[in-house]
Amino acid sequence: MRLSRPVLIATLVALTSPCFAETSRPIPVNNPQQQSSIIDLLALMSGHCKTLKVAGRTFACKTVAYAHGDKGRVNFAVAVDDPTDKNHVVSFSGANGKRADDNSYELPIDRMLLNSKDRPRIDGLPVPAEQVSTGVCRQTGNFAAKKVKDVTCSATDSEGRSYELLFVSDGTPVSVRRIRQSAPSIQDPFK
């Protein structure tokens, strides 16, 4: 099966979900969306958010996922526990992450991906808005051992809004999935 942008978006929405800070008023986004890469590694972490702040508002979270794209882009996607918006997800996104040792990883953040029920849809799925940002995420633990202790992220977008995450694992092994591209399994009659 050939993975495409809608499949990538569906995977992230199904496993996490993207966001806006306030359920009643979406955050205005002034940055054009860039082309996404195809996810080749997805890791789901079990635990809870001690801190999740999105543009000044405090939220709880449902889950945190690490998604690695085939072009090197990484997202720490956080499914926001928002009873008024099941599609509320915020993702800290960056490239060129570095591992200092086997149990620490640091990712420079250059954009936030924001999604909510109010976002435009492609194939029925909300498409996240991209907001230029600066910040960093740090992860303690590693996926090879299927153990992550915590993930901390802090970023500020180009409009001055801040985003914070402190996720702590409950000790459950991380669920790691490698995703491979394959040839399409159906013929497209419209080509």
Side-chain angles (χ1 to χ4, degrees):
M1 167 176 19
R2 182 174 175 220
L3 295 177
S4 64
R5 183 179 174 91
V7 172
L8 165 64
I9 293 168
T11 301
L12 288 176
V13 169
L15 298 173
T16 57
S17 282
C19 124
F20 276 112
E22 297 178 1
T23 56
S24 59
R25 291 180 301 149
I27 296 174
V29 178
N30 299 320
N31 299 299
Q33 191 161 338
Q34 297 180 11
Q35 201 64 312
S36 295
S37 61
I38 297 172
I39 297 298
D40 60 5
L41 179 91
L42 185 65
L44 298 174
M45 297 170 264
S46 178
H48 70 280
C49 292
K50 287 194 170 204
T51 303
L52 177 58
K53 292 184 180 180
V54 179
R57 290 199 50 206
T58 300
F59 290 94
C61 72
K62 295 178 189 175
T63 190
V64 174
Y66 168 95
H68 180 274
D70 63 348
K71 295 178 183 168
R73 178 147 297 273
V74 170
N75 297 320
F76 280 101
V78 183
V80 179
D81 190 1
D82 184 345
T84 64
D85 188 352
K86 66 180 181 170
N87 293 324
H88 196 169
V89 175
V90 61
S91 298
F92 295 83
S93 184
N96 302 316
K98 293 187 176 23
R99 188 167 286 292
D101 57 46
D102 285 345
N103 288 310
S104 63
Y105 173 75
E106 186 171 292
L107 176 69
I109 301 303
D110 61 6
R111 67 185 80 159
M112 296 298 298
L113 305 179
L114 308 169
N115 213 336
S116 75
K117 65 184 178 185
D118 301 319
R119 290 292 305 148
R121 296 176 179 270
I122 293 179
D123 294 332
L125 299 170
V127 178
E130 294 185 10
Q131 185 70 40
V132 172
S133 303
T134 58
V136 66
C137 284
R138 291 181 178 90
Q139 171 193 301
T140 306
N142 72 59
F143 297 131
K146 296 193 175 186
K147 293 186 182 205
V148 170
K149 181 179 175 185
D150 57 41
V151 176
T152 60
C153 297
S154 177
T156 303
D157 70 22
S158 60
E159 303 294 321
R161 295 176 292 246
S162 63
Y163 306 84
E164 292 180 51
L165 170 68
L166 171 53
F167 172 81
V168 178
S169 171
D170 62 9
T172 302
V174 175
S175 171
V176 180
R177 302 282 187 255
R178 291 200 178 274
I179 302 169
R180 293 181 297 173
Q181 285 186 347
S182 61
S185 60
I186 62 171
Q187 294 290 329
D188 185 351
F190 301 105
K191 279 192 169 183

